PDB file of all heavy atoms in Angstrom:
ATOM      1  N   PHE A  20     -71.341 176.689-189.780  1.00 98.00           N
ATOM      2  CA  PHE A  20     -70.744 177.974-190.145  1.00 98.00           C
ATOM      3  C   PHE A  20     -70.999 179.030-189.068  1.00 98.00           C
ATOM      4  O   PHE A  20     -70.115 179.843-188.777  1.00 98.00           O
ATOM      5  CB  PHE A  20     -71.346 178.482-191.471  1.00 98.00           C
ATOM      6  CG  PHE A  20     -71.192 177.540-192.642  1.00 98.00           C
ATOM      7  CD1 PHE A  20     -72.070 177.602-193.711  1.00 98.00           C
ATOM      8  CD2 PHE A  20     -70.180 176.599-192.685  1.00 98.00           C
ATOM      9  CE1 PHE A  20     -71.946 176.745-194.791  1.00 98.00           C
ATOM     10  CE2 PHE A  20     -70.044 175.717-193.758  1.00 98.00           C
ATOM     11  CZ  PHE A  20     -70.936 175.795-194.821  1.00 98.00           C
ATOM     12  N   ALA A  21     -72.190 179.005-188.481  1.00 98.00           N
ATOM     13  CA  ALA A  21     -72.589 180.068-187.549  1.00 98.00           C
ATOM     14  C   ALA A  21     -71.874 179.994-186.204  1.00 98.00           C
ATOM     15  O   ALA A  21     -71.644 181.016-185.565  1.00 98.00           O
ATOM     16  CB  ALA A  21     -74.113 180.022-187.328  1.00 98.00           C
ATOM     17  N   ILE A  22     -71.540 178.777-185.768  1.00 98.00           N
ATOM     18  CA  ILE A  22     -70.972 178.586-184.422  1.00 98.00           C
ATOM     19  C   ILE A  22     -69.469 178.822-184.460  1.00 98.00           C
ATOM     20  O   ILE A  22     -68.762 178.309-185.333  1.00 98.00           O
ATOM     21  CB  ILE A  22     -71.313 177.174-183.906  1.00 98.00           C
ATOM     22  CG1 ILE A  22     -72.818 177.089-183.631  1.00 98.00           C
ATOM     23  CG2 ILE A  22     -70.510 176.842-182.652  1.00 98.00           C
ATOM     24  CD1 ILE A  22     -73.309 175.707-183.278  1.00 98.00           C
ATOM     25  N   ASN A  23     -68.959 179.585-183.514  1.00 97.00           N
ATOM     26  CA  ASN A  23     -67.544 179.961-183.509  1.00 97.00           C
ATOM     27  C   ASN A  23     -66.647 178.886-182.893  1.00 97.00           C
ATOM     28  O   ASN A  23     -65.474 178.795-183.261  1.00 97.00           O
ATOM     29  CB  ASN A  23     -67.355 181.274-182.742  1.00 97.00           C
ATOM     30  CG  ASN A  23     -67.971 182.460-183.459  1.00 97.00           C
ATOM     31  OD1 ASN A  23     -67.924 182.537-184.698  1.00 97.00           O
ATOM     32  ND2 ASN A  23     -68.568 183.368-182.716  1.00 97.00           N
ATOM     33  N   ASP A  24     -67.174 178.107-181.946  1.00 97.00           N
ATOM     34  CA  ASP A  24     -66.370 177.082-181.294  1.00 97.00           C
ATOM     35  C   ASP A  24     -65.860 176.080-182.329  1.00 97.00           C
ATOM     36  O   ASP A  24     -66.646 175.417-183.015  1.00 97.00           O
ATOM     37  CB  ASP A  24     -67.213 176.356-180.245  1.00 97.00           C
ATOM     38  CG  ASP A  24     -66.409 175.328-179.466  1.00 97.00           C
ATOM     39  OD1 ASP A  24     -66.168 174.236-180.017  1.00 97.00           O
ATOM     40  OD2 ASP A  24     -66.048 175.612-178.318  1.00 97.00           O
ATOM     41  N   GLU A  25     -64.542 175.968-182.451  1.00 97.00           N
ATOM     42  CA  GLU A  25     -63.951 175.174-183.527  1.00 97.00           C
ATOM     43  C   GLU A  25     -64.261 173.687-183.406  1.00 97.00           C
ATOM     44  O   GLU A  25     -64.439 173.000-184.412  1.00 97.00           O
ATOM     45  CB  GLU A  25     -62.427 175.383-183.570  1.00 97.00           C
ATOM     46  CG  GLU A  25     -62.010 176.747-184.076  1.00 97.00           C
ATOM     47  CD  GLU A  25     -62.414 177.011-185.518  1.00 97.00           C
ATOM     48  OE1 GLU A  25     -62.545 176.044-186.286  1.00 97.00           O
ATOM     49  OE2 GLU A  25     -62.616 178.184-185.863  1.00 97.00           O
ATOM     50  N   GLU A  26     -64.329 173.173-182.188  1.00 97.00           N
ATOM     51  CA  GLU A  26     -64.617 171.750-182.008  1.00 97.00           C
ATOM     52  C   GLU A  26     -66.045 171.425-182.427  1.00 97.00           C
ATOM     53  O   GLU A  26     -66.298 170.454-183.160  1.00 97.00           O
ATOM     54  CB  GLU A  26     -64.384 171.334-180.558  1.00 97.00           C
ATOM     55  CG  GLU A  26     -64.605 169.841-180.326  1.00 97.00           C
ATOM     56  CD  GLU A  26     -64.302 169.412-178.893  1.00 97.00           C
ATOM     57  OE1 GLU A  26     -63.693 170.203-178.147  1.00 97.00           O
ATOM     58  OE2 GLU A  26     -64.686 168.284-178.535  1.00 97.00           O
ATOM     59  N   ILE A  27     -67.000 172.235-181.975  1.00 98.00           N
ATOM     60  CA  ILE A  27     -68.399 172.021-182.350  1.00 98.00           C
ATOM     61  C   ILE A  27     -68.585 172.236-183.858  1.00 98.00           C
ATOM     62  O   ILE A  27     -69.262 171.453-184.537  1.00 98.00           O
ATOM     63  CB  ILE A  27     -69.335 172.948-181.555  1.00 98.00           C
ATOM     64  CG1 ILE A  27     -69.244 172.637-180.058  1.00 98.00           C
ATOM     65  CG2 ILE A  27     -70.764 172.822-182.043  1.00 98.00           C
ATOM     66  CD1 ILE A  27     -70.035 173.584-179.183  1.00 98.00           C
ATOM     67  N   LYS A  28     -67.973 173.283-184.376  1.00 98.00           N
ATOM     68  CA  LYS A  28     -68.049 173.582-185.804  1.00 98.00           C
ATOM     69  C   LYS A  28     -67.577 172.392-186.640  1.00 98.00           C
ATOM     70  O   LYS A  28     -68.245 171.968-187.593  1.00 98.00           O
ATOM     71  CB  LYS A  28     -67.184 174.815-186.106  1.00 98.00           C
ATOM     72  CG  LYS A  28     -67.105 175.198-187.578  1.00 98.00           C
ATOM     73  CD  LYS A  28     -66.101 176.300-187.796  1.00 98.00           C
ATOM     74  CE  LYS A  28     -66.536 177.608-187.207  1.00 98.00           C
ATOM     75  NZ  LYS A  28     -67.680 178.193-187.969  1.00 98.00           N
ATOM     76  N   SER A  29     -66.428 171.830-186.270  1.00 98.00           N
ATOM     77  CA  SER A  29     -65.865 170.712-187.012  1.00 98.00           C
ATOM     78  C   SER A  29     -66.739 169.471-186.946  1.00 98.00           C
ATOM     79  O   SER A  29     -66.976 168.784-187.952  1.00 98.00           O
ATOM     80  CB  SER A  29     -64.465 170.399-186.489  1.00 98.00           C
ATOM     81  OG  SER A  29     -63.915 169.270-187.138  1.00 98.00           O
ATOM     82  N   LYS A  30     -67.249 169.185-185.748  1.00 98.00           N
ATOM     83  CA  LYS A  30     -68.087 167.991-185.571  1.00 98.00           C
ATOM     84  C   LYS A  30     -69.382 168.127-186.352  1.00 98.00           C
ATOM     85  O   LYS A  30     -69.829 167.161-187.012  1.00 98.00           O
ATOM     86  CB  LYS A  30     -68.375 167.799-184.084  1.00 98.00           C
ATOM     87  CG  LYS A  30     -69.056 166.481-183.750  1.00 98.00           C
ATOM     88  CD  LYS A  30     -68.100 165.303-183.881  1.00 98.00           C
ATOM     89  CE  LYS A  30     -68.726 164.026-183.366  1.00 98.00           C
ATOM     90  NZ  LYS A  30     -67.840 162.868-183.515  1.00 98.00           N
ATOM     91  N   LEU A  31     -70.000 169.306-186.318  1.00 98.00           N
ATOM     92  CA  LEU A  31     -71.239 169.502-187.067  1.00 98.00           C
ATOM     93  C   LEU A  31     -70.994 169.364-188.569  1.00 98.00           C
ATOM     94  O   LEU A  31     -71.832 168.813-189.290  1.00 98.00           O
ATOM     95  CB  LEU A  31     -71.842 170.867-186.750  1.00 98.00           C
ATOM     96  CG  LEU A  31     -72.493 171.017-185.378  1.00 98.00           C
ATOM     97  CD1 LEU A  31     -73.025 172.435-185.193  1.00 98.00           C
ATOM     98  CD2 LEU A  31     -73.618 170.009-185.182  1.00 98.00           C
TER      99      LEU A  31
END
Side-chain angles (χ1 to χ4, degrees):
F20 303 155
I22 291 173
N23 292 323
D24 183 282
E25 289 297 333
E26 183 177 347
I27 297 175
K28 177 187 291 290
S29 176
K30 189 72 172 179
L31 287 179

